[in-house]
């Protein structure tokens, strides 16, 4: 279905981004990966699906590196048709103890990078009169949790940004939407589980049980594959008129 399209997935060397990238490639899209750490294996996995795979190591907190990544996408792939803004980090602390550098990094990576990639991708999407911008927000874009002021602010911002750009492009073939996962078992969440285990003296299984029981009524983690399939749906013609939504995949978290 996505043959001939190019997808850029930020933060796709790990976790949700990696799962979404694989799913888009499995449906025929060429994929540009981004993120820190080892990427060769992830890139080889994408190429093995018979599509063109690329990688750019731009730091999503640096606008000039984002500009270089978007120029790479134009030169090597003829532009970005599907933009998945996924890169994100977390830090947990009460507001009075929140390190200023962590606040700045979370706002830059989780929110401002979405502005930069989107502003650079939209002109070519307008020319083609087709495009998809899919922002991986969070349940924390809809509701809050204590000790996550920067993350909650950034994710609420991502949802506001999604709606504004969806309106700006409403009469075109471009759609802009957000996906709001609940708990997904990735390195970002494992760090929080480890910290809770240390604080509560619980093992990993008990920490997971408690984490889910607190917020996610299904008591199941959402998977990167489920988020990948929803991304593919949002790229399909069936979703041509889905504009500006924040779609939660959270086991009932925000239904409470
Ligand atoms: P993860 O830590 O597994 O992956 C994060 C990815 O972002 C990695 O590829 C990492 O290298 C990349 N990254 C981090 N900082 C970067 C930077 N400055 N520049 C470029 N890349 C950078 O995390 P994840 O759980 O897969 O999270 C992905 C997204 O999903 C994040 O936006 C997160 O907020 C969101 N999310 C996660 C959950 C969850 O439960 N895991 C729930 C809701 C939303």
């Amino acid at each position: 279905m996505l043959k001939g399209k190019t997808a850029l997935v930020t933060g796709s060397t790990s976790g949700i981004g990696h799962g979404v990238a694989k799913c888009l490639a499995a449906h025929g899209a060429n994929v540009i990966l981004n993120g820190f750490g080892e990427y060769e294996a992830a890139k080889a996995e994408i190429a093995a699906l018979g599509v063109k795979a690329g990688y750019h190591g731009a730091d999503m907190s640096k606008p000039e590196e984002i500009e270089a990544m978007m120029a790479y996408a134009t030169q090597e792939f003829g532009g970005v048709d599907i933009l998945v803004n996924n890169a994100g980090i977390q830090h947990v602390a009460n507001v009075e103890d929140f390190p200023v550098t962590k606040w700045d990094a979370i706002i830059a990576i989780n929110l401002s990078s979405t502005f930069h990639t989107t502003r650079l991708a939209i002109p070519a999407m307008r020319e083609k009169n087709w495009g998809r911008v899919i922002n991986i927000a969070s349940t924390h874009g809809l509701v809050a949790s204590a000790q996550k002021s920067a993350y909650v602010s950034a994710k609420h911002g991502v949802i506001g940004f999604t709606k504004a750009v969806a309106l700006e492009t409403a009469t075109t073939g471009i759609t802009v939407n957000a996906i709001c996962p609940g708990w997904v078992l990735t390195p970002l969440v494992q760090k929080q589980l480890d910290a809770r285990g240390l604080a509560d003296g619980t093992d990993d299984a008990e920490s997971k049980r408690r984490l889910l029981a607190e917020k996610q009524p299904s008591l199941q983690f959402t998977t990167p594959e489920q988020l990948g399939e929803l991304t593919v749906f949002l790229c399909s013609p069936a979703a041509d008129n889905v504009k500006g939504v924040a779609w939660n995949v959270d086991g009932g978290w925000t239904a409470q």
Side-chain angles (χ1 to χ4, degrees):
M1 184 183 80
L2 300 177
K3 203 166 163 43
K5 307 282 191 210
T6 293
L8 167 65
V9 185
T10 68
S12 45
T13 50
S14 163
I16 294 170
H18 186 217
V20 168
K22 277 197 291 188
C23 213
L24 288 167
H27 285 81
N30 299 323
V31 172
I32 303 168
L33 299 169
N34 157 262
F36 295 151
E38 176 5 73
Y39 68 87
E40 286 294 352
K43 193 176 156 195
E45 251 183 285
I46 300 285
L49 292 165
V51 299
K52 184 172 170 186
Y55 169 80
H56 195 282
D59 180 336
M60 288 297 110
S61 68
K62 303 205 165 110
E64 64 284 3
E65 293 192 21
I66 296 173
E67 283 174 16
M69 178 177 71
M70 299 307 282
Y72 160 84
T74 303
Q75 277 151 24
E76 300 294 322
F77 287 78
V80 174
D81 304 295
I82 299 164
L83 171 63
V84 182
N85 288 306
N86 167 78
I89 59 167
Q90 176 62 286
H91 185 80
V92 179
N94 283 332
V95 68
E96 64 271 31
D97 304 322
F98 216 92
V100 171
T101 51
K102 287 283 182 200
W103 172 278
D104 288 345
I106 289 175
I107 299 299
I109 297 164
N110 297 19
L111 175 60
S112 300
S113 74
T114 296
F115 159 66
H116 292 298
T117 52
T118 304
R119 73 180 169 81
L120 295 165
I122 289 284
M125 290 180 178
R126 279 194 193 275
E127 261 171 44
K128 292 180 188 171
N129 198 33
W130 196 92
R132 294 291 189 257
V133 179
I134 295 157
N135 298 322
I136 307 298
S138 167
T139 47
H140 285 115
L142 301 166
V143 295
S145 293
Q147 300 199 308
K148 294 187 176 176
S149 56
Y151 188 85
V152 167
S153 301
K155 295 298 187 181
H156 274 69
V158 166
I159 292 179
F161 178 76
T162 301
K163 291 177 185 172
V165 185
L167 292 179
E168 289 175 18
T169 53
T171 58
T172 74
I174 303 168
T175 71
V176 186
N177 292 294
I179 293 177
C180 301
W183 294 123
V184 186
L185 192 53
T186 66
L188 180 140
V189 165
Q190 190 61 50
K191 264 190 232 158
Q192 295 173 61
L193 283 165
D194 295 345
R196 289 167 68 116
L198 271 180
D200 303 346
T202 48
D203 64 14
D204 191 52
E206 179 57 15
S207 297
K208 282 179 183 147
R209 197 198 62 73
R210 288 189 190 184
L211 185 87
L212 289 168
E214 222 171 68
K215 302 274 189 190
Q216 198 143 301
S218 66
L219 303 179
Q220 303 290 327
F221 286 101
T222 295
T223 66
E225 293 71 26
Q226 289 165 344
L227 299 172
E229 291 297 344
L230 177 54
T231 302
V232 168
F233 168 73
L234 289 173
C235 292
S236 75
D240 277 352
N241 210 25
V242 178
K243 298 195 181 221
V245 305
W247 189 326
N248 41 307
V249 190
D250 63 1
W253 179 329
T254 51
Q256 298 171 97

